[in-house]
Amino acid sequence: VFKTAAERKVLMEINGSPKRQDLSDRMVRRAASFGLRFSLATDAHKLKDFNRMQWALGVARRAGLSAGQVVNASAWSAVSSPV
């Protein structure tokens, strides 16, 4: 799955919602080894849920991602251009 996603330049989401933590830090590390990039998300539907970003960030950090591998930790010019 990760190989095909990388070939198609798919962004993978690291979701901070306790109910939607689909990618573990191990899976993120494996996906990154294929050159995939990521976005961090909260799945927030209420203002109070925006604090979930800490959980998504924790997964990214444990996986060893750099800011350059996380599109919403990059400059707008890097995000707005094709992946």
Side-chain angles (χ1 to χ4, degrees):
V1 171
F2 295 144
K3 181 180 181 242
T4 301
E7 290 168 355
R8 295 181 181 191
K9 300 188 186 302
V10 171
L11 287 174
M12 301 298 284
E13 178 188 55
I14 300 174
N15 196 319
S17 171
K19 295 180 181 177
R20 295 296 318 271
Q21 293 183 351
D22 305 319
L23 289 175
S24 67
D25 52 349
R26 284 187 10 207
M27 291 177 71
V28 170
R29 193 175 306 113
R30 178 78 171 134
S33 74
F34 287 91
L36 283 161
R37 292 175 57 201
F38 302 84
S39 67
L40 304 183
T42 61
D43 201 26
H45 296 269
K46 300 174 188 153
L47 188 58
K48 69 181 182 99
D49 294 338
F50 279 98
N51 69 352
R52 295 176 178 168
M53 186 59 78
Q54 66 184 329
W55 301 110
L57 183 57
V59 171
R61 285 180 173 164
R62 287 191 307 276
L65 296 183
S66 68
Q69 292 171 289
V70 179
V71 295
N72 49 341
S74 303
W76 173 248
S77 59
V79 177
S80 62
S81 64
V83 185

